[in-house]
Amino acid sequence: MKTLSNFAIIIFSFFSAFLLSVSWASSNYSSHQDFIQCLESHSDPSSPISAVLYSPYNSSYSSVLQDYIRNLRFNESTTPKPRLILTALHVSHIQAAIICAKAHRMQMKIRSGGHDYEGISYRSNNPNFFILDMFNFRSINVSIEDETASVEVGATLGEVYYRIAEKSSTHAFPAGVCPTVGVGGHIGGGGYGNLMRKYGLTVDNIIDAQIIDVNGRLLNRKSMGEDLFWAITGGGGSSFGVVLSYKIKLVRVPKVVTVFRVSRTYNENFTDLVYRYQEVADKLPKELFIRLTLNGVNGTNRGTFRALFLGNSQELISVMNKHFSELALNQTDCIEMSWIESVLFWTDLPTTPVNALLDRVPQSFSYLKRKSDYVKKPIPKQGLEFIFKKMVELQTPVLAFNPYGGRMAEISPSEKPFPHRAGNIFKLQYATNWDEDGEEAASRYLGVTRKLYDYMTPYVSTAPREAFLNYRDLDIGINHNGRNSYVEGAVYGVKYFKDNFNRLVKIKTKVDPDNFFRNEQSIPILPWRK
Ligand SMILES: Cc1cc2nc3c(=O)[nH]c(=O)nc-3n(C[C@H](O)[C@H](O)[C@H](O)COP(=O)(O)OP(=O)(O)OC[C@H]3O[C@@H](n4cnc5c(N)ncnc54)[C@H](O)[C@@H]3O)c2cc1C
Ligand SMILES: *[C@@H]1O[C@H](CO)[C@@H](O)[C@H](O)[C@H]1NC(C)=O
Ligand SMILES: *[C@@H]1O[C@H](CO)[C@@H](O)[C@H](O)[C@H]1NC(C)=O
Ligand SMILES: *[C@@H]1O[C@H](CO)[C@@H](O)[C@H](O)[C@H]1NC(C)=O
Ligand SMILES: *[C@@H]1O[C@H](CO)[C@@H](O)[C@H](O)[C@H]1NC(C)=O
Ligand SMILES: *[C@@H]1O[C@H](CO)[C@@H](O)[C@H](O)[C@H]1NC(C)=O
Ligand SMILES: *[C@@H]1O[C@H](CO)[C@@H](O)[C@H](O)[C@H]1NC(C)=O
Ligand SMILES: *[C@@H]1O[C@H](CO)[C@@H](O)[C@H](O)[C@H]1NC(C)=O
């Protein structure tokens, strides 16, 4: 077995060395200079592009690259590096990037907040790639009068929440839990958070968008048309163009909300409790979202129930007594606060000062692996026992249950590219974080995460085994760079988008027929068009 895998590695290295030498030969220094010249001549002279263009020769190249790397797995010397980083400041910089990259056959990677779990916004196996970095596009204009906001893609979710709360304590936005996530990738990929059961996904609350298409045209919802607008609200923006901003619809929340976080361990009637949670979590009133996080640390299992309730603690206790008394929630577990404080509570920051949400740098960094699954029937008690035992064996992976139902079940699966609506009890996230450096540790932690995913097979969706785009996972299929394989694309495409995949492919073929906007898991074009 060992010899066989070494042999495979040798063959693979030969093959990659060969590919590398071919592509390096086809892109020499003078063509690189031509690309830079093209960028200069196609951008607005009032905002010189050279001031925002970093090549490996510029001293701040590495720090600019590292500034938005959020997974230490891709902060390695072995991680492929871009030829250039363009930290666009002006629309003409983006237009020039698209036009010149097409002409010079460069692959463009688009990065907003850099939270992609597989780092595909800033790495590529195509040696001729560069990064269009969007962090400078981060203005946010909130209008409480209209109950809307315009947000540029480089803003973080924390900044959006803060700017809303600054103007109103009874408005919110249903998006992700982690405040450093970028608006660009988050909304393009669907987006969800703890307001999901009341208000749906992030993309269920988008009114308009601005995008630059493959011909460099700046379009809004009206001029791009409903098909493209649909595609970039959940189908992954990076297959279709460069999104500049989204106009979002604010939602209403009470002045006082209630949160709790309680843990239970294996010796506390645990299997019955987790089973009961599965029976109720998607059927509770829409105002209540309870996430369960399971682990198998220190030789035993622990479950943490973390909730957001849109109401006060008395109402919450009565809802819990009625529907989920088995958790035995005590009034003393409940904490009343404003919605904006609940954002901090959910991300494990002290609830004041609220301006901690403006911090664009995460509190800590780790090596990360994530995978996802959908559960449509409660996992039977013996199944839970089996999983608990395996989690203790594997130790590190954590399983997070995010309940659906409520508003999620009312929205048609074709309303947005995101197809996982009625019929799902939960989305599961497999989460493994580690701090040990090195390849050996990485392959061990990736291995245990994949093992847990394998053990879960009997209990999750099949044909396809569904997955959530924002929990990017290259294990479920990959479209090799520089190629357009519809067959490869359909493998992950159907898992992320189910029946919506075909519509995404048609839109992609129409708006980007030469497949300029591509990455490891982009939407392919129809095979018979080429
Ligand atoms: C700590 C953490 C917590 C998270 N919590 C949640 C959560 O609660 N809910 C949830 O739904 N997700 C969550 N996610 C996943 C997150 O939503 C996705 O990783 C999202 O894509 C990140 O957006 P980004 O702009 O930060 O990422 P990036 O890495 O910059 O981009 C991600 C993808 O979007 C593309 N893209 C980025 N900007 C643009 C643009 N302007 N135009 C076109 N394409 C673009 C990129 O090319 C890439 O393919 C979390 C991720 C992390 C790391
Ligand atoms: C370098 O690239 C340019 C432009 O693509 C091409 O004209 C030239 O012949 C190349 N030179 C070499 C030595 O390959
Ligand atoms: C990077 O170096 C080039 C060449 O010296 C220079 O023209 C450019 O302005 C530098 N980029 C930045 C952002 O300073
Ligand atoms: C990424 O790697 C660089 C170079 O090794 C290092 O200086 C930097 O601290 C790393 N980033 C993080 C967030 O650890
Ligand atoms: C917010 O308003 C300012 C000033 O009018 C404008 O320059 C900016 O583009 C606006 N931002 C968005 C995202 O609409
Ligand atoms: C364990 O939970 C089940 C189902 O919720 C319940 O019927 C049973 O009484 C509980 N047992 C104990 C010891 O709490
Ligand atoms: C596991 O045990 C260690 C040492 O007692 C403790 O510090 C840690 O918090 C425990 N972890 C969990 C998740 O309970
Ligand atoms: C709730 O918690 C308080 C304080 O810990 C305790 O005194 C009380 O008995 C608990 N009530 C119930 C119903 O468990």
Side-chain angles (χ1 to χ4, degrees), residues 260 262 264 270 272-281 284-285 288 290-292 305-307 316-330:
F260 67 77
V262 299
R264 300 287 183 261
F270 196 64
D272 288 337
L273 180 66
V274 174
Y275 188 80
R276 178 69 188 149
Y277 169 76
Q278 297 188 92
E279 291 182 319
V280 300
L284 292 167
L288 179 55
I290 309 178
R291 174 187 284 176
L292 165 62
F305 298 83
R306 192 194 296 248
L316 174 58
I317 291 287
S318 85
V319 167
M320 289 297 285
N321 286 341
K322 183 161 168 214
H323 300 280
F324 192 21
S325 57
E326 295 79 359
L327 187 61
L329 188 72
N330 189 324

Side-chain angles (χ1 to χ4, degrees), residues 230-246:
W230 178 82
I232 60 167
T233 49
S238 51
S239 296
F240 301 95
V242 177
V243 182
L244 282 184
S245 66
Y246 285 101

Side-chain angles (χ1 to χ4, degrees), residues 66 69 72 75 365:
Q66 286 158 17
I69 292 181
L72 293 185
N75 187 42
F365 288 87

Side-chain angles (χ1 to χ4, degrees), residues 295 297-298 302:
N295 69 38
V297 180
N298 290 343
R302 174 185 291 269

